[in-house]
Amino acid sequence: MQLLEFQAKELFREYGINLLESISSTNIEDGRKHAKELGYPFVIKIQVPVGGRGKAGGIQKCQNDDEFELKYPQVMDLTIKGEKARAILLEKMADIKKELYLSLFLNRSKRCYTIIASAEGGVEIESVKNQIIKEVGLGHVSDELAKEVAKEMGLEGTTAEQFVDTLKKLSKLTIEKEAELVEINPLAIMQDDTIMALDGKFVTDDNSNFRHPELQKYQEKTEIEEQAEKSGFSLVELDGDIAVVGNGAGLVMSTLDMLSDNGGKPACFLDVGGGATTESVYEALTLISKLDRVKGILVNLYGGIVKTTVVAEAFLKAYEDNLIDLPVFSRLKGTESDKAKEMLQGSRTKIFDSVEDAINAAVMGVKK
Amino acid sequence: MTDIFGLLKGNPGEDDYENKGVIVQGITGSYGSLHAGKMLEYGTNIVAGVTPGKGDQTWNESVPIYNTMQEAVDATHAKISIIFVPAKFFLSAAKEALEAGIKLLVAIPEHVPIRDTMETLELANQKGAVVIGPNTPGIMIPELIKIGIMPPMPFKAGKIAVLSKSGTLLYEISDALTNAGFGQSITIGIGGDPINGTRLIDAFDMVKDIPDLEGMVVVGEIGGDSEEMLAQRIIDTGFSKPTVAYIAGRAAPKEKRMGHAGAIVMGNYGSAESKISMFNKANIPVAKRPAEVPVLLAGKMDKSD
């Protein structure tokens, strides 16, 4: 899960990382109150769990009440990379001398925490130049290593000291909360030479959630995603009109690819998982029935340990209960697939031998 | 590099050649018990089970259960263990296995915290042990030994090595290979987690020198850079056996986790394009659909004749 900027900053504050004064709100009435408390000028920042906000107009300077009334709703109404605003953060304007980049992340290839730092921040990580990369192992960043990074960045005096302090606090935060990534970009040197985190990114390792009840309040899921999680599926909502259901993340991704190649638009990624049962597939169909944009269902199942008859039963039950009246295009392969096909004979589920045929039929079917 | 075949089946002349003992951790749980049964059916030599508090009992009227890994290893001298415990208990189970001298640890659990995986790998490294997974479907030499949860029917003994991040795609693509006449010498599911005990390059190093290897299939997906690293290793080692890749997730939106904990694209990092372009550099064709894999492999074989 990726935290929003203001949530990441809550954690930064808890760990003593220097921040500008800021307040978040979810409606303009609260925003007005905060504007008074904070005082102009400040920056209005959209809170979405994706990058590239500045370019999309999600960060606006605000000098007075008139600008506030104009810009707050504008920013609130933006959609960035398909993500709507979760909140608005008002933050004091900064008097910046220089922007740095600093992050700590779990390095997948090296299997350890790794620091990336640069004396040139403020841009997306791909364009951060002269990256200083240091592997840390599984423990905290040592004083020596932090000093070495500061030196390589060309920092001196109190700025270097503050940087070392910030890096060590960041390391403590990363390890204690088991983050996959914590990023401060930009980490700004202000005109008075203090160091401040102007933006914050924090990605949790969701698998360690059970050890971090304190992070639960940041969990943000659609109602449907939450239900899916309860039932043990993995579901990602997408904006097309064909629901894609399968077993195994790889197979479902593969089905999305083929569907897109053939001109179809997936409405969701739904992996019923390795332990699918009639009940759980029925539950999956219940979730799909709640997605208004769905015009058809594409099922691609490889029955290994899971019997394909389990799926057939779930569909028959769904028809019986009038749960779904959408056309279903399916390819069932593997364990007991002949029996499953027989069970679905004459039902609204059309069965295809190849996934290619099922996809083509689904694309044609929803166009009608 | 680890002699994976040595670990899995031993060497000719050894008294347990092609009959290596396997311990099942969590054998009395419903999942562990189900798959222990299926492995036994396949011919895997399950010599012990471990469930704390259930020592001195017998599983399936044939397999002795021990309370600890140390007892199980002392009694059986097994070097291989497969873990079926809830993710929360994975770290302690894995440590216990490694401390007891296990050299090949197959980690089935899904949703293991990354930190726990990293601690396990650090210990495995110190002990000179190989970890497959977590979140792996397992490893097998078709028709000889299966240590995992894969169904038996897609696989047939042969001379192609299949390395895969995804479980179901491993089955699907092996099925397509088998139907096209390409049996498999070994299949390794490395798992869909961000950090794998055995990365694609490690799996490659384990299989690249098998004497009768005729080709390799790599099943990757978006997220991380293990496919890119593998492509580079193939270039660096001058590996020339026919190799074909498949990458799932071209149509996945950025910054969304697609089921697998590791399947997420951040910026260009982890994107299908990045992986495909590296495979192209290594002169490895990338199939657009699973069904295309055997076709491309056959094409490569013809050229190499």
Side-chain angles (χ1 to χ4, degrees):
Chain A
M1 166 185 55
Q2 179 172 335
L3 267 51
L4 299 166
E5 175 193 5
F6 82 90
Q7 297 168 334
K9 282 181 171 172
E10 273 177 34
L11 293 173
F12 288 2
R13 192 164 287 124
E14 202 184 301
Y15 279 77
I17 291 168
N18 257 354
L19 297 166
L20 291 164
E21 209 184 323
S22 65
I23 321 176
S24 67
S25 54
T26 49
N27 60 66
I28 193 160
E29 291 78 28
D30 287 346
R32 279 187 197 113
K33 271 184 250 159
H34 297 157
K36 285 210 171 60
E37 285 173 44
L38 207 58
Y40 297 105
F42 54 72
V43 185
I44 300 179
K45 298 165 110 176
I46 191 171
Q47 301 294 293
V48 281
V50 289
R53 296 177 300 165
K55 271 186 224 155
I59 299 176
Q60 300 277 342
K61 287 180 184 165
C62 185
Q63 306 284 350
N64 52 49
D65 286 346
D66 288 347
E67 275 189 22
F68 178 83
E69 293 298 328
L70 179 74
K71 288 179 175 173
Y72 190 102
Q74 263 178 10
V75 173
M76 196 61 161
D77 285 344
L78 284 176
T79 299
I80 300 175
K81 294 181 188 164
E83 299 286 347
K84 292 200 168 76
R86 311 299 204 277
I88 297 291
L89 186 70
L90 305 183
E91 185 168 78
K92 283 302 272 182
M93 208 88 99
D95 203 359
I96 306 166
K97 192 194 273 179
K98 189 172 169 49
E99 294 187 336
L100 315 172
Y101 177 93
L102 179 62
S103 70
L104 248 171
F105 73 106
L106 274 168
N107 188 325
R108 295 170 59 143
S109 339
K110 306 283 183 190
R111 309 143 183 227
C112 64
Y113 289 110
T114 299
I115 302 168
I116 296 186
S118 169
E120 294 163 70
V123 289
E124 281 184 36
I125 175 72
E126 289 90 357
S127 27
V128 169
K129 287 183 194 133
N130 303 322
Q131 294 185 359
I132 296 158
I133 300 173
K134 301 275 180 204
E135 285 164 26
V136 189
L138 299 187
H140 291 280
V141 173
S142 67
D143 220 31
E144 295 69 41
L145 183 61
K147 280 180 184 160
E148 199 181 310
V149 176
K151 197 176 168 198
E152 284 185 37
M153 289 172 77
L155 302 178
E156 286 170 346
T158 59
T159 324
E161 275 166 35
Q162 289 181 69
F163 178 85
V164 168
D165 182 55
T166 306
L167 177 50
K168 289 178 68 182
K169 285 171 174 164
L170 195 70
S171 152
K172 192 163 186 279
L173 170 64
T174 307
I175 288 173
E176 288 181 359
K177 303 292 183 196
E178 298 188 62
E180 267 193 73
L181 166 77
V182 183
E183 181 187 82
I184 306 179
N185 182 31
L187 176 66
I189 304 176
M190 315 300 273
Q191 288 299 342
D192 63 1
D193 285 331
T194 53
I195 275 190
M196 295 263 179
L198 296 196
D199 195 358
K201 192 167 171 179
F202 190 102
V203 181
T204 61
D205 169 13
D206 294 355
N207 289 343
S208 73
N209 277 350
F210 67 90
R211 284 196 288 247
H212 299 284
E214 77 282 8
L215 297 176
Q216 289 311 303
K217 61 181 173 196
Y218 299 131
Q219 280 286 1
E220 181 213 342
K221 287 196 177 85
T222 64
E223 195 191 325
I224 286 176
E225 283 168 346
E226 201 161 310
Q227 282 179 23
E229 197 183 276
K230 263 188 213 145
S231 318
F233 321 131
S234 164
L235 183 144
V236 180
E237 285 194 49
L238 303 165
D239 48 16
D241 52 11
I242 301 175
V244 179
V245 183
N247 60 330
L251 185 64
V252 183
M253 270 193 272
S254 165
T255 314
L256 289 183
D257 293 344
M258 291 185 279
L259 176 65
S260 305
D261 285 346
N262 290 15
K265 291 199 174 69
C268 69
F269 162 107
L270 205 168
D271 171 13
V272 295
T277 59
T278 300
E279 291 71 32
S280 70
V281 176
Y282 184 86
E283 186 64 29
L285 293 172
T286 311
L287 294 180
I288 289 172
S289 71
K290 289 181 184 164
L291 292 172
D292 296 336
R293 60 184 178 280
V294 176
K295 291 190 198 147
I297 303 175
L298 172 65
V299 181
N300 185 13
L301 204 89
Y302 191 97
I305 301 301
V306 176
K307 288 180 188 155
T308 51
T309 44
V310 155
V311 180
E313 260 171 60
F315 272 95
L316 291 176
K317 188 167 183 305
Y319 293 138
E320 210 178 280
D321 300 351
N322 285 319
L323 179 67
I324 42 167
D325 55 3
L326 298 163
V328 180
F329 308 88
S330 66
R331 176 264 195 171
L332 306 175
K333 192 166 167 111
T335 313
E336 297 190 6
S337 61
D338 288 340
K339 196 171 159 202
K341 285 175 196 169
E342 220 167 274
M343 288 165 68
L344 289 166
Q345 278 280 328
S347 78
R348 265 172 286 170
T349 299
K350 295 195 182 69
I351 307 251
F352 299 84
D353 284 333
S354 82
V355 66
E356 204 79 354
D357 291 345
I359 286 171
N360 287 332
V363 172
M364 294 307 289
V366 300
K367 269 188 190 156
K368 273 185 213 159
Chain B
M1 195 62 213
T2 314
D3 175 8
I4 195 72
F5 288 87
L7 272 174
L8 287 170
K9 64 177 184 181
N11 296 307
E14 284 175 21
D15 51 5
D16 59 352
Y17 177 51
E18 298 208 335
N19 191 26
K20 287 281 170 191
V22 175
I23 299 173
V24 179
Q25 292 179 259
I27 197 165
T28 55
S30 61
Y31 204 53
S33 183
L34 168 75
H35 286 288
K38 292 192 182 285
M39 283 187 276
L40 264 183
E41 266 173 47
Y42 200 76
T44 304
N45 179 22
I46 295 178
V47 294
V50 170
T51 300
K54 299 212 170 162
D56 297 330
Q57 298 181 20
T58 307
W59 176 82
N60 200 23
E61 293 171 6
S62 60
V63 178
I65 303 176
Y66 298 88
N67 285 319
T68 67
M69 275 305 284
Q70 195 63 57
E71 287 166 29
V73 170
D74 287 346
T76 62
H77 305 290
K79 295 276 180 265
I80 306 173
S81 167
I82 178 167
I83 298 191
F84 291 98
V85 300
K88 280 185 192 188
F89 307 122
F90 170 74
L91 180 61
S92 60
K95 276 186 173 168
E96 209 194 305
L98 294 166
E99 296 287 1
I102 287 298
K103 294 297 170 203
L104 174 62
L105 185 68
V106 179
I108 302 295
E110 204 179 344
H111 305 306
V112 172
I114 299 175
R115 231 196 122 76
D116 295 358
T117 301
M118 294 204 301
E119 275 184 44
T120 303
L121 299 185
E122 205 171 54
L123 181 62
N125 208 14
Q126 288 165 22
K127 300 277 179 189
V130 173
V131 177
I132 310 255
N135 191 15
T136 173
I139 179 168
M140 77 190 302
I141 296 178
E143 297 175 36
L144 177 68
I145 186 169
K146 148 178 138 142
I147 308 170
I149 58 171
M150 58 288 261
M153 66 276 189
F155 305 99
K156 199 171 182 304
K159 293 175 178 174
I160 305 295
V162 186
L163 318 178
S164 177
K165 264 189 182 174
S166 151
T168 29
L169 280 178
L170 169 67
Y171 316 155
E172 174 97 79
I173 288 174
S174 298
D175 191 26
L177 287 168
T178 297
N179 287 333
F182 294 116
Q184 305 90 41
S185 53
I186 188 168
T187 74
I188 306 177
I190 70 156
D193 268 18
I195 294 182
N196 316 105
T198 298
R199 299 165 295 179
L200 283 175
I201 47 166
D202 304 320
F204 168 72
D205 287 345
M206 289 173 186
V207 303
K208 70 177 167 45
D209 298 321
I210 314 171
D212 55 353
L213 186 75
E214 285 182 359
M216 187 170 77
V217 171
V218 183
V219 183
E221 60 188 30
I222 52 165
D225 57 5
S226 60
E227 292 84 354
E228 289 88 333
M229 284 167 69
L230 173 65
Q232 189 59 50
R233 176 71 61 101
I234 289 173
I235 295 171
D236 295 344
T237 53
F239 180 75
S240 59
K241 300 267 168 75
T243 301
V244 171
Y246 174 76
I247 304 291
R250 280 180 287 122
K254 284 186 180 179
E255 297 182 40
K256 291 262 187 199
R257 239 174 247 284
M258 303 305 282
H260 278 165
I264 183 165
V265 179
M266 303 301 276
N268 191 41
Y269 179 74
S271 70
E273 297 79 50
S274 153
K275 296 170 195 305
I276 292 168
S277 90
M278 266 310 286
F279 278 123
N280 286 341
K281 233 184 247 178
N283 194 24
I284 294 166
V286 181
K288 280 207 129 186
R289 304 170 274 128
E292 208 177 79
V293 170
V295 180
L296 291 177
L297 188 63
K300 273 263 174 186
M301 295 260 184
D302 284 347
K303 269 187 216 160
S304 69
D305 278 345

